[in-house]
Amino acid sequence: MSDTTALLARIDRLESLDAIRQLPAKYALALDMRDGDAWVNLFPEDVRVGGGKQGRKDLRDWFDETHSMQFDGTSHHIGGHVIDFDDADHAQGVVYSKNEHETGAQWVLMQMLYFDRYERIDGRWYFRRRLPLYWYASDLNQPPVGDRKMRWPGVPPYHGSFHDLFPSWGTYWARQGKAHDGPVEPPAPLERFIETMRRGAPLPKPRVRS
């Protein structure tokens, strides 16, 4: 690879990183402002919606129905974002989100993260998939201590799968506070930080809440 080709590849990677980092922020803004068209256009035209449905129109229908029925208002605050590239046009990422929801008489706070897949199509980056994983959701006046921290009004409390993407959480607590007696593992290979942390764990099953 020539110096010029290598430089162009590095510039492309930097531009791609910036475009991908903007996707969650655009997602949050479009969602909170209830702009369904802006929101669905962050996904490819052939986005899968579930229930055998596919495409941006079906996704927008789901968006309108879900948010009109559940929330009077929302605010999504984007946190740290880790991105690994699979190749020049495909990447994966983990991004934190702290959310506030007005739902009837309650003000529900939520902490979550997304496991994302990104794809560049015709020069533009999109979400190929977003897997939401939740730690807690609870009314502002009710700290979510204890088990089953997902506590929505009118819904039985449930586990939100926040730690299930990475097996280190279970391994840590299985030691019951004892020091790790194994050797320190080498640093993750370049562009394999998320994959290394996941250690081949299966994807958790999603519970759909934004």
Side-chain angles (χ1 to χ4, degrees):
M1 181 182 295
S2 68
D3 290 344
T4 300
T5 301
L7 178 60
L8 291 175
R10 292 177 66 181
I11 292 173
D12 178 70
R13 180 57 52 88
L14 290 172
E15 291 179 343
S16 292
L17 278 169
D18 186 63
I20 292 171
R21 286 185 177 128
Q22 289 195 50
L23 283 174
K26 291 176 178 178
Y27 179 103
L29 179 62
L31 192 159
D32 291 336
M33 299 302 126
R34 298 298 186 268
D35 190 327
D37 288 336
W39 190 78
V40 300
N41 280 309
L42 299 173
F43 296 85
E45 292 183 2
D46 62 347
V47 57
R48 294 181 179 179
V49 182
K53 297 181 179 180
Q54 188 172 359
R56 289 172 179 156
K57 177 60 168 62
D58 285 339
L59 183 60
R60 192 181 65 182
D61 290 344
W62 176 89
F63 174 94
D64 290 337
E65 180 180 359
T66 299
H67 292 91
S68 64
M69 292 175 56
Q70 295 180 350
F71 310 121
D72 300 299
T74 57
S75 179
H76 290 67
H77 308 265
I78 306 305
H81 194 175
V82 179
I83 301 167
D84 286 339
F85 284 85
D86 303 319
D87 56 43
D89 295 319
H90 299 85
Q92 56 185 296
V94 172
V95 57
Y96 278 76
S97 185
K98 186 69 171 286
N99 312 327
E100 302 190 27
H101 307 77
E102 182 182 7
T103 173
Q106 293 192 335
W107 197 274
V108 178
L109 303 182
M110 173 193 284
Q111 178 64 61
M112 64 175 298
L113 60 82
Y114 290 96
F115 176 53
D116 293 334
R117 294 283 186 180
Y118 314 106
E119 182 176 356
R120 181 162 56 177
I121 302 172
D122 295 331
R124 185 167 183 171
W125 283 96
Y126 298 93
F127 291 113
R128 172 50 71 182
R129 183 186 181 190
R130 303 209 85 186
L131 175 63
L133 302 168
Y134 309 103
W135 186 22
Y136 66 80
S138 186
D139 182 78
L140 177 66
N141 297 308
Q142 299 175 353
V145 296
D147 196 18
R148 298 182 181 274
K149 298 180 185 294
M150 293 299 295
R151 302 167 187 173
W152 288 97
V155 178
Y158 62 92
H159 172 63
S161 303
F162 184 77
H163 301 98
D164 295 352
L165 189 67
F166 303 104
S168 55
W169 176 260
T171 301
Y172 177 88
W173 290 109
R175 299 202 307 267
Q176 298 180 341
K178 298 178 182 178
H180 194 319
D181 57 4
V184 176
E185 296 182 4
L190 186 64
E191 305 292 3
R192 292 293 179 269
F193 189 83
I194 297 171
E195 183 178 294
T196 301
M197 282 193 64
R198 290 194 56 216
R199 294 177 174 85
L203 288 178
K205 294 182 179 180
R207 291 289 297 263
V208 178
R209 289 276 181 170
S210 59

